[in-house]
């Protein structure tokens, strides 16, 4: 079946087929489906969705998706803040980074956002990170653990030394320094 018009106007035709539907994010049916379990594939985002009876839920992504993490305790300024993730069902994994520019500043404990709210609440371990001191040549502090600060963001615990990553720990941040982390967790939906 090839659908060339807006899917929202054609559910009467699609529902009789009850098969998989190919669309784009723009033409994705906003009204859902009459069939729980109906699947659609959006060609532009390369995401498979399934209707759960009340909303389209992501089943799987063929390509990594990009996102800009939320940031608390620091100001991005002219630094780089970005991330990538992949989601299959409720399992989310990926990576994010903050590269310090000349106007990036830290005012407290650094918290970086994750792409979907976590099923777990506070204190859940979601991954490991790297704090790189660019001014120290090859010096890098690798013992940074990513832990949930909330259901939508992580803070970073300095392994061995204890404490949280902030303006002076594990070192004083400067231009070219990086905070990176890889994550894996179960999303709330």
């Amino acid at each position: 079946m090839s659908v060339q018009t807006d899917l929202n106007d054609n559910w009467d035709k699609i529902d009789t087929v009850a098969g998989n539907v190919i669309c784009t994010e723009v033409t994705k049916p906003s009204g859902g489906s009459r069939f729980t379990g109906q699947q659609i594939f959006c060609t532009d985002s390369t995401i498979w969705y399934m209707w759960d009876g009340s909303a389209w839920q992501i089943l799987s992504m063929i390509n990594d998706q990009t996102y800009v993490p939320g940031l608390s305790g620091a100001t991005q300024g002219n630094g780089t803040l970005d991330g990538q993730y992949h989601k299959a069902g409720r399992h989310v994994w990926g990576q994010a980074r903050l590269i310090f520019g000349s106007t990036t500043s830290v005012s407290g404990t650094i918290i970086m956002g994750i792409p979907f709210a976590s099923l777990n609440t506070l204190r859940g371990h979601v991954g490991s990170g790297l704090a790189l001191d660019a001014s120290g040549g090859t010096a890098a502090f690798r013992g940074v653990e990513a832990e949930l600060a909330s259901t939508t963001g992580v803070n970073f615990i300095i392994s061995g030394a204890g404490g949280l990553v902030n303006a002076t720990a594990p070192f004083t941040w400067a231009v070219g320094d990086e905070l990176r982390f890889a994550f894996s967790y179960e999303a709330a939906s």
Side-chain angles (χ1 to χ4, degrees):
M1 174 178 201
S2 176
V3 178
Q4 299 295 322
T5 59
D6 187 354
L7 291 176
N8 290 318
D9 297 331
N10 289 291
W11 272 119
D12 58 327
K13 296 177 185 97
I14 294 167
D15 283 347
T16 59
V17 176
N20 295 334
V21 176
I22 297 174
C23 60
T24 67
E25 290 292 337
V26 173
T27 62
K28 179 173 71 175
S30 59
S33 173
R34 283 177 258 189
F35 294 106
T36 299
Q38 174 80 44
Q39 294 182 16
I40 61 173
F41 178 73
C42 293
T43 56
D44 55 343
S45 63
T46 66
I47 297 175
W48 277 102
Y49 292 94
M50 182 179 74
W51 183 253
D52 70 0
S54 61
W56 290 109
Q57 299 295 329
I58 295 174
L59 279 180
S60 182
M61 299 173 174
I62 293 175
N63 297 318
D64 284 343
Q65 305 295 309
T66 60
Y67 83 108
V68 178
L71 186 62
S72 176
T75 304
Q76 177 183 351
N78 63 353
T80 300
L81 178 64
D82 59 13
Q84 296 178 324
Y85 68 90
H86 189 89
K87 187 172 189 230
R90 293 193 335 187
H91 183 203
V92 182
W93 65 96
Q95 60 188 355
R97 68 182 179 167
L98 171 62
I99 302 174
F100 283 68
S102 61
T103 61
T104 304
S105 62
V106 180
S107 58
T109 300
I110 298 176
I111 298 174
M112 290 175 65
I114 52 180
F116 297 92
S118 171
L119 177 65
N120 296 322
T121 55
L122 298 176
R123 311 292 297 171
H125 174 84
V126 296
S128 299
L130 165 70
L132 174 65
D133 182 357
S135 63
T138 59
F141 191 92
R142 297 181 185 274
V144 179
E145 299 300 316
E147 181 177 85
L148 289 171
S150 68
T151 58
T152 59
V154 298
N155 56 29
F156 304 93
I157 299 171
I158 304 166
S159 299
L164 298 172
V165 171
N166 59 48
T168 58
F171 46 77
T172 300
W173 298 91
V175 174
D177 292 347
E178 297 182 37
L179 178 60
R180 298 173 174 259
F181 74 105
F183 54 83
S184 177
Y185 66 95
E186 185 177 4
S189 61

